[in-house]
Amino acid sequence: MTEHDANGNYIGQGKCRNPLFSKNLPKAGGDADALCNLEKGPRAPDLVFFAVVGGVPQDLIHFDASNVEKSKVTEEDWVKIIGRDPDKYNLEGMDARMDQSVSRATAGPRRARRRARTSTAGAARLGHEGPDLQYACTFPSRPRAVRRHEQGDLRPDGTKNPPLCSAATTQSRAKAYPTQRQFRVVHALKDQGIISSLCPLTTGEGAAEKQEAKDVDGKPNPRYGYRPAVKSIVDRLKNALANQCLPQKLARDQKGQVSCLILETLPNKGDKCAAYGLTDPAPEILEEFRESQKETSDEASLTVCQANQIVKKPGETCARDTAAGWCYVENTESSKVLDACYQAIVFSAAGTPPVGALTHLQCVASAPAGG
């Protein structure tokens, strides 16, 4: 088990297997030490994601519905969200709206837990009165009467608390608090963490926003409500699930190749196959693919490319190859290169589909003799 000193600091590294990656859990009422002796399961770390839809202003994560690359949260962005080094209470560079404080004043130098804690104003705070935390954002909501005993979004005397209430006891806006601890976990998990916002870009409340919430070119407005959050999660999962375990072995031809076709629909209009180490598919393949997908007009305008096959012998993998492409990988008795399965399609380091790309995989397995 992991030990800690008198101040609560961890000593060394934990030696227990995370239950997420274990085959099963110990029985109820069993020995607590059994938690450190769980059998390894089939789930690999790259298949586990942590997504948080929390309180962060949309301008700090700059969601762009038409360009996945522009929606990426950079290290500079993370400084504005959680500070320079939050583990050491250094919040230098953090946007004022992300400061978890009850003070209406713009965030400035403060001390906490006897360690320096500083933050820099990136925007004016959403000030309000009362003991409640200041908000990361507020946004329009359906007006509702708030009874005095509810008081959560009113002043202690039961009267209105701007910016949430538009009349003495009428609440017309909703709010989100700065989500600090959870976002720190998202940042620590790097590519396995997904950040998105509770603060909608448009809510459909009010005449102008109702117009924004309508469908655009026959498709729902991607900026409405929680659609940006859902899209951020889906885009990340699309890319991560590209490497696939196969239920049975594939037959190789004389060159060592297998009968698999991998097509990638690139995320942005005007993308070129060569820029990602991909090739243009044969015209007949592209025509059949587009017919089978029943694409919308927007999807049909995106570029479709073919990923190149890299031949590897059984027991070898292309996972670290510098050439862009994919390979068929299978374990042998003497070389176990896959942890979660016996055979799989694996992309090389340079061939991993770009973020936001949609990967289509089709393999043909030869039937056994007499089958």
Side-chain angles (χ1 to χ4, degrees), residues 346-370:
V346 174
F347 285 88
S348 68
T352 301
V355 174
L358 186 58
T359 304
H360 308 265
L361 166 65
Q362 183 179 36
C363 291
V364 178
S366 300

Side-chain angles (χ1 to χ4, degrees), residues 6 13 33 57 79 143 189 201 204 213 263 265 292-294 303 314 358 361 369:
Q13 298 292 325
D33 289 338
V79 171
L189 289 174
L201 287 165
L263 299 178
T265 302
S292 67
Q293 295 303 300
K294 297 180 180 179
T303 305
L358 186 58
L361 166 65

Side-chain angles (χ1 to χ4, degrees), residues 234-275:
V234 171
D235 284 345
R236 185 71 60 83
L237 295 182
K238 280 180 182 178
N239 187 48
L241 297 178
N243 290 351
Q244 291 290 307
C245 289
L246 301 174
Q248 63 187 83
K249 288 188 175 183
L250 301 179
R252 298 174 182 266
D253 62 19
Q254 293 180 347
K255 295 181 180 180
Q257 296 182 331
V258 293
S259 297
C260 290
L261 174 66
I262 296 180
L263 299 178
E264 297 178 20
T265 302
L266 300 182
N268 306 308
K269 293 180 180 180
D271 283 344
K272 303 296 183 182
C273 296

Side-chain angles (χ1 to χ4, degrees), residues 111-290:
R111 296 186 66 83
R113 299 188 186 181
R114 296 174 294 180
R115 298 187 184 183
R117 184 171 191 260
T118 63
S119 57
T120 303
R125 294 199 65 106
L126 295 171
H128 65 81
E129 298 177 3
D132 203 10
L133 282 176
Q134 300 294 317
Y135 311 134
C137 71
T138 67
F139 48 92
S141 64
R142 293 184 183 279
R144 73 181 185 93
V146 181
R147 293 186 292 271
R148 179 167 182 149
H149 72 270
E150 292 179 317
Q151 281 192 10
D153 293 326
L154 300 179
R155 291 171 176 163
D157 64 0
T159 59
K160 69 178 181 178
N161 178 14
L164 300 182
C165 297
S166 55
T169 56
T170 301
Q171 180 174 336
S172 56
R173 296 184 71 84
K175 85 282 187 180
Y177 299 110
T179 306
Q180 278 289 330
R181 288 188 304 160
Q182 295 89 335
F183 284 156
R184 286 172 60 185
V185 176
V186 171
H187 178 247
L189 289 174
K190 300 182 187 286
D191 289 341
Q192 305 308 115
I194 306 171
I195 181 174
S196 50
S197 179
L198 277 170
C199 313
L201 287 165
T202 178
T203 62
E205 298 295 333
E209 291 195 326
K210 282 182 179 178
Q211 184 64 34
E212 282 190 49
K214 291 181 179 179
D215 290 357
V216 179
D217 296 331
K219 298 177 64 176
N221 187 341
R223 295 167 55 86
Y224 173 69
Y226 295 120
R227 289 172 187 162
V230 173
K231 189 176 189 303
S232 297
I233 295 172
V234 171
D235 284 345
R236 185 71 60 83
L237 295 182
K238 280 180 182 178
N239 187 48
L241 297 178
N243 290 351
Q244 291 290 307
C245 289
L246 301 174
Q248 63 187 83
K249 288 188 175 183
L250 301 179
R252 298 174 182 266
D253 62 19
Q254 293 180 347
K255 295 181 180 180
Q257 296 182 331
V258 293
S259 297
C260 290
L261 174 66
I262 296 180
L263 299 178
E264 297 178 20
T265 302
L266 300 182
N268 306 308
K269 293 180 180 180
D271 283 344
K272 303 296 183 182
C273 296
Y276 297 96
L278 305 170
T279 57
D280 296 317
E284 61 273 15
I285 292 178
L286 181 60
E287 182 181 358
E288 183 178 345
F289 171 77
R290 291 203 180 279

Side-chain angles (χ1 to χ4, degrees), residues 328-339:
Y328 173 60
V329 178
E330 53 185 322
N331 286 335
T332 64
E333 292 183 2
S334 60
S335 179
K336 186 178 180 181
V337 290
L338 297 170
D339 291 327

